[in-house]
Amino acid sequence: MAVSSPKDKYFSVWLIFFLLGLGTLLPWNFFMNATMYFTSRLKDSSLVDSSANQTEAAGEHRSVLEAKFNNVMTLCAMLPLLLCTCLNSFLHTLISQHLRVMGSLLIIMFIFIITAVLVKVPLEPLPFFSITMVKIVIINSFGAVLQGGSELHDAAFSYFITACAVIFLSLLSYILLPKLEFFQFYQDKNRKQRPDKENSVNLMNTESKEEVPGQTTQQNVSMVKIFKKIWLLALSVCFTFTVTIGTFPAITADIKSTLNGRGSWDLYFIPVSCFLLFNLCDWAGRSLTAICMWPQKDSVLLPVSIVCRLVFIPLFMLCNVQPRLHLPVFFYHDGFFIVFMIIFAFSNGYLASLCMCYGPKNVSPYEAETAGAIMAFFLSLGLALGAALSFLFRALV
C-alpha cells in the first residue's frame, strides 16, 4: 500500500525554494538596476564642457569606462555563469549539495557587504570599474553553482543592503529545509529510486560490453542520447537568451526619454521603463506557465515564436538610443519603447520557461536530472553569446 505524502504546511517548502531562487537571481538584478549608480561613478569630469548643457554633455561625451560599462558588465556576468554551470554538472557528485549551496550563499552575501561598504568609499573610475567587474564575476560564478526621493548613492546602498538581507534569509531557510516533513518525505523517496537508475546504467554498460573505464564512457554516451531527444528545446532556450541579453541592458539602458522637461520622468525613465518593467513582465511570463503551457512541446510554433523574437533587436536599435552614430531614430516616442519592452520581457519569461519545463519531460524519468543540466548549460550558453553579441549590436546603433 502506497504511503500518502504529507502536506506542505503553510507552503513552507515552497517558500524556502522561492527564497533560494530569489537569493540566486536577486544579486544580478540589483547590479543591473543600480547601473545608473555605477555609471555615475565612472564619469570623467574633464570630458564635460562646463559651458555646455549638462544633460547633452553627459550623453555626448561619456568616458570609455562609462560607455562600455553595460556591455562589459553583461560579459563578466555571463561567461563565468556559463563556465561554472558546465563545471557544476561534472563536480556536483564530488562536492556535497549542502556545501555548494551554503558556501555559494555565504560568498555572495560577503561580496554584497563589500559592495555596500564601497558605496561610501571614494575611488577613482578605473579601480572602481575593475573592482566592480571582479565582484560581478564572483557573484555570477557562485550564482551558477546555486543555479525615488533619495540620492543615487543612498539608493544604491539600500539595494545592496537589501540583497544582503535576502541572502541571509536564504541561508536560514536552507538550514531549516531538511527539518520539514514534506521535504524529508520526497528526499527519502528519491533515495529509494536511485538504485533503479543505477541498475539501469549497469545493464546498459553490460549490453555495450564496455571495459575499463566503462562508467565515464557510458556517461558520455548517455549525455549524447539525452541531447538527441531535447536538442531543439536546448537550442531554443539558448537562442531566447541570446536575443534577450544581446539587447538588454546593453542597448535598452541607453534609450533616453523624448519627453523633455518632465522633471522626475527623466530621472526614473530607465529604472522604471527598462529594469522594473522588464522584471515584472518577465516574471508574469514565467508565472503564466503554471496555468497555461502553449504551444505544446512538439509544436513547430514554439521554435518559430522564439525565432520571431529577433525582431526586437532592430526595434530597440531604432528607438532613441543615445549616443548613436549610424542608425536613425525611427521609434521616437517613449510609448514605442514601453510597448516593445512589455512584449519583449513577457515573451522571454514565457518562452524560456516553456523550454525549461519541456526539456526534462522529453526524456525518461531517470534521465530528467541530466536533461535539466543540459538545458541549464544551453541557457548559460545563450546568456554568454548574448553578452558577446551585445558589443556588436551597440556598435551598430
Side-chain angles (χ1 to χ4, degrees), residues 118-138:
L118 287 179
V119 172
K120 304 297 183 181
V121 178
L123 287 172
E124 290 296 315
L126 184 57
F128 179 77
F129 181 88
S130 303
I131 292 171
T132 299
M133 294 307 157
V134 170
K135 290 185 295 184
I136 289 172
V137 168
I138 295 173

Side-chain angles (χ1 to χ4, degrees), residues 90 204 215-232 234 362-363 367 370-371 373-374 378:
F90 294 103
M204 292 163 65
Q215 186 177 0
T216 303
T217 306
Q218 181 57 40
Q219 286 177 349
N220 293 336
V221 172
S222 178
M223 189 80 74
V224 172
K225 184 182 74 173
I226 294 170
F227 177 70
K228 287 180 178 178
K229 297 179 181 180
I230 62 171
W231 68 271
L232 184 58
N362 260 22
V363 298
E367 297 173 325
T370 304
I374 293 173
F378 275 88

Side-chain angles (χ1 to χ4, degrees), residues 19-128:
L19 267 178
L20 289 172
L22 197 63
T24 304
L25 297 174
L26 199 63
W28 166 239
N29 279 278
F30 271 143
F31 265 93
M32 286 200 302
N33 292 339
T35 185
M36 293 178 67
Y37 153 73
F38 290 113
T39 53
S40 72
R41 292 192 62 168
L42 297 173
K43 292 184 183 299
D44 188 346
S45 57
S46 65
L47 295 177
V48 180
D49 184 1
S50 58
S51 63
N53 179 276
Q54 287 287 339
T55 303
E56 289 185 9
E60 296 176 3
H61 302 287
R62 299 190 299 175
S63 68
V64 174
L65 296 179
E66 185 185 357
K68 298 298 180 184
F69 177 81
N70 285 322
N71 296 90
V72 179
M73 174 185 70
T74 308
L75 192 63
C76 285
M78 301 313 165
L79 283 181
L81 187 66
L82 172 63
L83 294 174
C84 289
T85 300
C86 186
L87 285 174
N88 193 44
S89 63
F90 294 103
L91 299 179
H92 73 277
T93 56
L94 303 177
I95 304 173
S96 69
Q97 183 192 61
H98 183 76
L99 179 60
R100 282 183 284 129
V101 174
M102 292 289 290
S104 298
L105 287 172
L106 282 170
I107 290 172
I108 292 172
M109 184 172 69
F110 177 71
I111 294 297
F112 261 89
I113 291 172
I114 294 175
T115 304
V117 170
L118 287 179
V119 172
K120 304 297 183 181
V121 178
L123 287 172
E124 290 296 315
L126 184 57
F128 179 77

